[in-house]
Amino acid sequence: MKFLKFKAENLFSFKSVNFDLNERGLVLINGWSEDENSHNGSGKSSLTSKGLVWALYGKTTSGRKGDEVIQRGSTSCYGEVEIISNDGNIYSIRRERGPSKLSVFKKSDLLLDEDISCKIQSETQELIDQLIGKDYETFLNTDFFGQGFSASFMTLPSQQQNALLETAISLEQINMWIDNAKELKRTTKQDASDLEEDYFLLHGRLCEIRKAKKEQELKNKSYSSQLAELTAKLKNKDLSSLEKRDKELNDSYTKGEKQFLQCTETLNKLQRERSSLLAAKKVVKQNLCPTCDQQIDTNKYNVLLEEQIQIVEKLTDTDRSIKAVQSSTNQWLAYCTEKKKEREIVQKDLAEAKLIESKIKSITDFLIAQTDWYAKELLILQEREKIEKELPLVTEKLNIVDFWESAFKVDFKSFIFERICPFLEQQATKHLRNLGQPQMTVKFSTVKELKSGENKISFNITIESSSGGESFDSFSGGEQQFVSFAVGLAFADLVKKTTHNDSNIMILDEPFVYIDNNNAERFINYLQNYLSKEKETILLVSNENCIKELVPNKVLIEKRHGISTITYGANIL
């Protein structure tokens, strides 16, 4: 994979930049800031570890991202990198802020390039990682070496070294196996848990069934005794005779009630007639009008007298009729009362008989429809027996899955790491020798001895020096820088060998601080005689005076009024 060109506008301290990255050889990037009157703050890193890395991955080597990359006073910026990917095609990666946008274009012989960007920026970033052949972390540990190596592969915690190695040497398949084993373990554990829960529930149901069966047996014995007693009582009650007698009494009562009502109606009618007759009855005096007491003639008097005689006769007949009807009414009332009392007695006996019959039916229905607890108990026992056969199989499967998860997670990875340790040692030793540090020895292992004396599976790096020093911390700052540089290069060699993902560029952003003349010469000789054969473009950012005289190909970045420009040695396209 080749980097061809880097362009940007309003990015960090650069207003505009168009920088050739292809086959530049070893390029020393110096800087001077008139604003600070210093070599620092000129914008050297804005071109490399900030601008270029941000355009590729959306954040700088120090983690800066978002709108803080936009040049002060501007509202938007972009960075664009042109590359040739391993598939032989040319791609342009363009990242913008204000607003945020990430695009990938495939160069074409046609007038318009093909936009192959994804809808989601995270997916577009994954595409960029594939085109470059490295993600952010791998790039920083293979193609970039930063100031003082404060976050180099050498100084990373063992767990992060492991993770970086897994990503760098493409252990995705093993990681996929690990994930599959974890998922299978999870589902198998769930199956075992479900079976155990089902077994527990079945045991509880079996206890309930056996308790219910015992209770039912006791109830059956009690109900059978009650059934015999109730049947005998119902026989004595003769339910059909009681129902027949109840009907007869009801009919008689209905008949008597009808007669009683008729008598009552007749009696009321007679009472009304009697009241009318009494109202019409008057005392008739000789030749006097009974109403106004005036003299009337004899004929009219005789007519009135005759009328009063007839009223008196009618009153007499009505009183006789009332007495007779009243007697009949009293007789029918007595009759109805008698039949009602008789029927109440019969209905009481009938209700008792029906209650007995209902109890007999309930008991009979219960005895007929009672649960077959024996069949249920047998079914539960069969289900429990099935679980007892399945559970050992699931447990055995879980043990197998445990074994393979451990194999994929620890054993296989340990095996692979053990196989790459000699390669890393060989490459690190070679780089140290070429850097003029043959007295140092680097050892890689997958076993780390704890203070307790126990061994732990962990990626481990140990360094020794024949001139003194048995640990990385015991070395001088210069020695630490050389060791970190050599280990980082060995890691880059491993990535290249295992994945064939290599680029034509290396960024060295002040990799050595306070380097002396001898080591500076050894370092530049290594870059020119060895590393330049592997990398077509090496961007060396440094202000060390002892290095400036050793590198003829220089780029000068000057900063005035907050704006950085490439003013000398830049191969502007």
Side-chain angles (χ1 to χ4, degrees):
M1 196 279 295
K2 282 189 174 185
F3 287 92
L4 301 178
K5 188 190 307 180
F6 171 58
K7 297 191 298 182
E9 286 188 6
N10 300 326
L11 186 62
F12 294 103
S13 60
F14 280 97
K15 192 71 176 177
S16 177
V17 63
N18 192 340
F19 195 73
D20 181 17
L21 298 173
N22 189 30
E23 298 182 4
R24 294 293 299 270
L26 176 59
V27 180
L28 177 62
I29 301 176
N30 291 142
W32 179 259
S33 173
E34 291 188 0
D35 299 341
E36 285 84 11
N37 195 27
S38 169
H39 291 289
N40 297 322
S42 61
K44 303 184 297 297
S45 297
S46 295
L47 178 66
T48 55
S49 61
K50 291 182 180 178
L52 179 59
V53 176
W54 175 82
L56 294 173
Y57 296 106
K59 56 183 174 181
T60 67
T61 56
S62 61
R64 291 182 66 182
K65 56 185 178 179
D67 288 343
E68 58 183 323
V69 304
I70 302 175
Q71 186 186 60
R72 186 177 300 174
S74 300
T75 58
S76 64
C77 71
Y78 82 86
E80 186 173 336
V81 183
E82 193 172 287
I83 67 170
I84 300 178
S85 188
N86 289 332
D87 61 7
N89 293 308
I90 299 177
Y91 298 90
S92 177
I93 301 167
R94 182 183 176 95
R95 191 181 301 272
E96 303 174 45
R97 293 296 303 180
S100 175
K101 187 177 181 181
L102 180 60
S103 307
V104 179
F105 298 93
K106 182 178 180 182
K107 295 292 183 179
S108 172
D109 294 335
L110 303 176
L111 293 177
L112 294 176
D113 296 334
E114 181 185 358
D115 187 350
I116 60 172
S117 312
C118 303
K119 292 182 178 180
I120 303 174
Q121 285 198 20
S122 60
E123 294 178 357
T124 303
Q125 186 61 58
E126 290 177 5
L127 173 62
I128 293 171
D129 293 351
Q130 293 172 8
L131 294 175
I132 299 173
K134 298 173 183 178
D135 62 8
Y136 174 77
E137 293 294 340
T138 306
F139 180 84
L140 292 190
N141 284 276
T142 57
D143 296 331
F144 171 84
F145 292 89
Q147 300 179 29
F149 290 91
S150 59
S152 67
F153 181 81
M154 177 69 207
T155 57
L156 290 174
S158 177
Q159 187 176 3
Q160 292 185 30
Q161 290 176 339
N162 286 351
L164 195 58
L165 278 171
E166 290 178 18
T167 302
I169 62 179
S170 299
L171 295 182
E172 291 87 355
Q173 185 62 50
I174 291 181
N175 289 330
M176 185 180 72
W177 291 342
I178 292 173
D179 291 339
N180 290 341
K182 284 182 178 178
E183 179 60 21
L184 184 57
K185 181 179 179 179
R186 186 191 67 79
T187 56
T188 306
K189 272 187 173 181
Q190 187 61 50
D191 291 342
S193 176
D194 291 344
L195 286 173
E196 289 174 352
E197 184 178 354
D198 290 345
Y199 188 87
F200 176 79
L201 291 174
L202 287 174
H203 178 73
R205 286 174 58 192
L206 186 62
C207 292
E208 291 175 359
I209 286 172
R210 287 175 174 170
K211 180 181 178 181
K213 184 177 71 172
K214 186 174 181 180
E215 290 176 353
Q216 182 172 285
E217 288 173 350
L218 294 174
K219 283 183 179 180
N220 288 350
K221 185 176 181 181
S222 173
Y223 283 165
S224 296
S225 175
Q226 291 181 40
L227 185 61
E229 182 180 346
L230 291 171
T231 303
K233 285 183 177 180
L234 184 61
K235 187 176 181 181
N236 293 333
K237 290 291 182 181
D238 192 1
L239 183 61
S240 59
S241 298
L242 288 172
E243 289 176 341
K244 182 179 179 181
R245 179 58 181 162
D246 180 63
K247 187 177 181 307
E248 291 174 352
L249 290 171
N250 183 56
D251 292 344
S252 298
Y253 178 82
T254 301
K255 178 183 177 182
E257 186 180 37
K258 183 179 180 181
Q259 293 297 326
F260 172 75
L261 291 175
Q262 289 177 354
C263 288
T264 301
E265 184 180 355
T266 302
L267 185 61
N268 291 334
K269 184 179 179 181
L270 291 172
Q271 292 288 0
R272 287 193 298 273
E273 290 178 0
R274 186 174 185 278
S275 296
S276 298
L277 291 172
L278 286 175
K281 183 180 178 183
K282 297 178 182 179
V283 178
V284 181
K285 297 180 180 180
Q286 186 70 30
N287 296 328
L288 291 176
C289 175
T291 304
C292 61
D293 254 0
Q294 296 294 324
Q295 287 289 329
I296 58 174
D297 58 40
T298 302
N299 292 332
K300 195 171 185 178
Y301 168 76
N302 292 330
V303 171
L304 288 174
L305 184 61
E306 182 64 28
E307 287 177 356
Q308 289 300 314
I309 291 171
Q310 290 177 2
I311 288 172
V312 171
E313 290 176 352
K314 285 181 180 181
L315 274 173
T316 302
D317 293 339
T318 299
D319 287 341
R320 193 181 299 112
S321 297
I322 287 173
K323 185 177 180 180
V325 172
Q326 183 67 59
S327 176
S328 296
T329 300
N330 292 337
Q331 289 176 1
W332 284 116
L333 178 61
Y335 178 84
C336 289
T337 302
E338 180 184 355
K339 296 303 177 183
K340 183 178 180 181
K341 289 181 179 179
E342 290 182 17
R343 194 180 177 214
E344 286 175 352
I345 295 170
V346 171
Q347 283 187 329
K348 182 179 178 181
D349 290 342
L350 184 60
E352 291 178 358
K354 286 184 176 180
L355 179 62
I356 293 171
E357 186 180 53
S358 176
K359 288 182 179 180
I360 291 173
K361 185 177 184 306
S362 297
I363 294 173
T364 304
D365 290 344
F366 173 80
L367 294 174
I368 292 173
Q370 65 181 343
T371 303
D372 189 350
W373 295 112
Y374 293 97
K376 285 201 170 190
E377 181 180 13
L378 179 60
L379 182 61
I380 295 296
L381 291 172
Q382 290 173 345
E383 291 180 9
R384 192 173 71 171
E385 184 180 0
K386 182 180 178 182
I387 292 176
E388 288 172 346
K389 290 179 180 179
E390 288 181 5
L391 195 55
L393 297 177
V394 175
T395 304
E396 182 182 359
K397 180 180 177 181
L398 186 59
N399 292 334
I400 294 172
V401 172
D402 267 333
F403 167 79
W404 283 112
E405 183 192 19
S406 176
F408 294 143
K409 190 173 183 179
V410 180
D411 301 337
F412 282 8
K413 287 186 178 180
S414 296
F415 174 80
I416 292 173
F417 285 168
E418 286 173 4
R419 293 301 180 271
I420 65 175
C421 283
F423 176 82
L424 290 172
E425 290 176 3
Q426 174 187 332
Q427 295 304 110
T429 301
K430 180 186 77 172
H431 292 304
L432 283 171
R433 185 173 63 251
N434 293 334
L435 285 164
Q437 308 293 325
Q439 78 279 6
M440 296 184 185
T441 305
V442 183
K443 297 290 183 182
F444 296 85
S445 67
T446 57
V447 178
K448 183 178 181 180
E449 184 175 351
L450 304 177
K451 292 182 180 180
S452 62
E454 298 179 354
N455 291 332
K456 177 184 178 182
I457 301 297
S458 174
F459 193 75
N460 189 38
I461 306 175
T462 56
I463 302 97
E464 295 180 356
S465 175
S466 59
S467 61
E470 297 182 352
S471 67
F472 183 78
D473 293 335
S474 67
F475 295 153
S476 67
E479 287 176 322
Q480 289 181 352
Q481 293 178 70
F482 274 113
V483 170
S484 295
F485 189 49
V487 169
L489 291 172
F491 176 69
D493 294 338
L494 175 66
V495 173
K496 179 180 177 181
K497 182 178 179 64
T498 56
T499 66
H500 306 290
N501 289 326
D502 192 26
S503 70
N504 66 330
I505 196 171
M506 178 166 284
I507 301 172
L508 305 175
D509 190 354
E510 300 192 39
F512 292 92
V513 182
Y514 307 121
I515 191 170
D516 58 36
N517 292 334
N518 289 332
N519 282 330
E521 186 173 353
R522 293 190 186 103
F523 175 60
I524 297 303
N525 285 338
Y526 172 79
L527 296 181
Q528 291 174 332
N529 297 328
Y530 295 99
L531 193 59
S532 60
K533 297 177 182 179
E534 301 290 332
K535 302 291 184 179
E536 296 176 349
T537 299
I538 302 174
L539 303 179
L540 174 59
V541 178
S542 178
N543 287 318
E544 299 292 330
N545 291 325
C546 56
I547 290 180
K548 292 180 183 179
E549 304 300 325
L550 299 174
V551 182
N553 187 8
K554 298 182 180 67
V555 167
L556 179 63
I557 297 177
E558 292 184 324
K559 185 178 180 182
R560 296 184 184 91
H561 306 299
I563 304 297
S564 297
T565 55
I566 302 174
T567 60
Y568 175 76
N571 189 6
I572 304 294
L573 296 181

